[in-house]
Amino acid sequence: MTDDTLNIPRTIRWQNGELILLDQRRLPADEIEICCRTVDDVYDAIRTLAIRGAPAIGVAAAFGLLVGLREWEDEPLGREILRRAAHLNSARPTAVNLGWALDRMVRVTRAVGTALYTRLEQEAQAIFDEDVASCAAIGHHGAGLIGEHCRILTHCNAGALATSGWGTALAPIYVVNARGLSPHVFVDETRPLLQGARLTAYELMRSGVACTLITDNMAASVMASGIDLAIVGADRVAANGDVANKIGTLNVAILCHHYGIPFYVACPRSTLDPAAATGAGIQIEHRHADEVTMIAGQRVAPEGAEVWNPAFDVTPNELVTAFITDAGIVTPPYHFT
Ligand code: MRU
């Protein structure tokens, strides 16, 4: 399988000092790119999910630090990078890749005295390249878990659109599909923002992977009718293996446990957060009520309805059959350091 096997528009491009992002708010109807020329453009793109998915957010933030600064002298540049890093880090709290990538850029800023812009651009490119390589490694490691004609359930979007490469949860599926093993993917639509319906179904269909879209409340029925395994991504994994991922992941994990279906979490090592001892230490983002009361701009709930809208939930480690990482398959007990 090569990078061109997938027929999916590029998520992130860095071109002549400009950050160009596929606007994922507009998918699947419109394939439109937006150009971030200021750090506020980058902040808004992350905050409003024009770019989303843990690895992609990290890469976008690394390049995003640099927009508009190409002509700056080293010393004011360094100060501006530190200011911007703090700002971008506040765009979304749950995906650890955001802070992880910004920390790498800050370390370079503090260590390098001259030719700082060039050195920072190299670091952002390295973060991008490592993400591409991690996705491929996850794909090859995870492919060993998938037999011929497997029926696989996934939640949210942890595919190419969420990374710089083939994705995390979807990478093993792309690899086995390229090998002719004919996987069939059941895609949770993933309310409230429909990343499954809008993004996962879109990228699987464009890549020639057989898939069936279901609403989230159909997952139990589809499992009862026969699912071989579930694979999801992660936004942050605590030292003990508790997993923060898109709201509804916990439902999938509990259902898998009930039906005896393997539940795999695919993620690069950059998504592991040893500083969080357990999932209780992970900050969960809460988002605007409109995401629940409206669908595609249409109100579906009474005006003023009280809403609870956490963007992520935490799946306890005992429900995770194994992690598919870029370094290989990790089975319990989990101790990430
Ligand atoms: O709110 P989102 O769309 O950024 O949430 C994305 C997810 O939860 C993904 O599963 C996770 O970031 C892994 S992406 C490889």
Side-chain angles (χ1 to χ4, degrees):
M1 181 172 153
T2 68
D3 288 351
D4 299 330
T5 312
L6 308 183
N7 181 28
I8 304 166
R10 286 264 162 225
T11 309
I12 300 170
R13 294 189 297 123
W14 177 247
Q15 204 172 280
N16 302 323
E18 287 183 342
L19 179 63
I20 298 164
L21 305 173
L22 179 66
D23 187 349
Q24 300 193 27
R25 298 165 299 195
R26 305 286 296 269
L27 290 174
D30 305 307
E31 291 172 7
I32 290 174
E33 289 186 326
I34 52 172
C35 180
C36 298
R37 293 197 176 82
T38 68
V39 72
D40 287 331
D41 291 345
V42 180
Y43 180 93
D44 289 343
I46 294 173
R47 182 86 204 117
T48 63
L49 277 56
I51 181 84
R52 29 68 51 201
I57 294 172
V59 173
F63 282 121
L65 284 178
L66 299 175
V67 293
L69 300 181
R70 199 154 43 168
E71 310 303 332
W72 282 43
E73 304 285 335
D74 291 328
E75 197 273 325
L77 174 62
R79 264 187 286 125
E80 176 65 3
I81 293 291
L82 298 183
R83 189 191 69 78
R84 287 183 173 200
H87 179 48
L88 288 182
N89 200 25
S90 67
R92 296 191 75 190
T94 305
V96 70
N97 303 65
L98 177 61
W100 170 86
L102 290 169
D103 279 351
R104 277 182 63 162
M105 299 293 283
V106 164
R107 274 200 297 277
V108 170
T109 306
R110 293 197 200 281
V112 174
T114 55
L116 182 56
Y117 184 91
T118 305
R119 187 58 197 87
L120 285 168
E121 197 175 39
Q122 286 166 351
E123 188 70 6
Q125 187 62 45
I127 292 169
F128 178 101
D129 293 343
E130 288 168 28
D131 186 31
V132 173
S134 290
C135 290
I138 289 168
H140 291 298
H141 292 305
L145 302 168
I146 305 175
E148 204 172 355
H149 298 299
C150 263
R151 288 158 62 93
I152 304 164
L153 186 132
T154 192
H155 189 74
C156 193
N157 174 265
L161 292 169
T163 67
S164 319
W166 302 342
T168 59
L170 299 191
I173 296 168
Y174 288 132
V175 170
V176 296
N177 196 57
R179 290 178 187 165
L181 295 188
S182 307
H184 193 112
V185 183
F186 289 81
V187 180
D188 277 359
E189 67 171 351
T190 317
R191 272 286 281 155
L193 293 182
L194 301 172
Q195 286 92 334
R198 294 189 304 104
L199 308 177
T200 299
Y202 162 86
E203 68 164 270
L204 290 173
M205 289 169 71
R206 286 194 61 127
S207 307
V209 177
C211 61
T212 301
L213 179 62
I214 59 172
T215 62
D216 300 326
N217 53 354
M218 295 170 188
S221 280
V222 93
M223 287 189 196
S225 75
I227 287 286
D228 297 297
L229 63 145
I231 315 182
V232 300
D235 280 79
R236 190 182 294 247
V237 178
N240 72 342
D242 291 349
V243 176
N245 192 49
K246 179 54 56 195
I247 189 76
T249 300
L250 176 58
N251 305 37
V252 173
I254 291 170
L255 290 172
C256 281
H257 182 71
H258 178 83
Y259 286 108
I261 296 167
F263 176 81
Y264 296 112
V265 175
C267 65
R269 280 167 291 176
S270 53
T271 302
L272 306 177
D273 182 12
T278 72
I282 298 176
Q283 187 185 344
I284 299 296
E285 175 184 11
H286 283 253
R287 296 184 62 87
H288 200 279
D290 284 356
E291 294 180 353
V292 176
T293 57
M294 320 266 284
I295 299 181
Q298 192 75 35
R299 176 165 292 281
V300 294
E303 197 88 47
E306 189 182 310
V307 165
W308 189 59
N309 186 20
F312 303 96
D313 56 27
V314 175
T315 298
N317 57 44
E318 63 266 23
L319 296 179
V320 180
T321 307
F323 287 87
I324 308 168
T325 77
D326 46 336
I329 307 293
V330 181
T331 52
Y334 305 119
H335 299 291
F336 296 116
T337 51

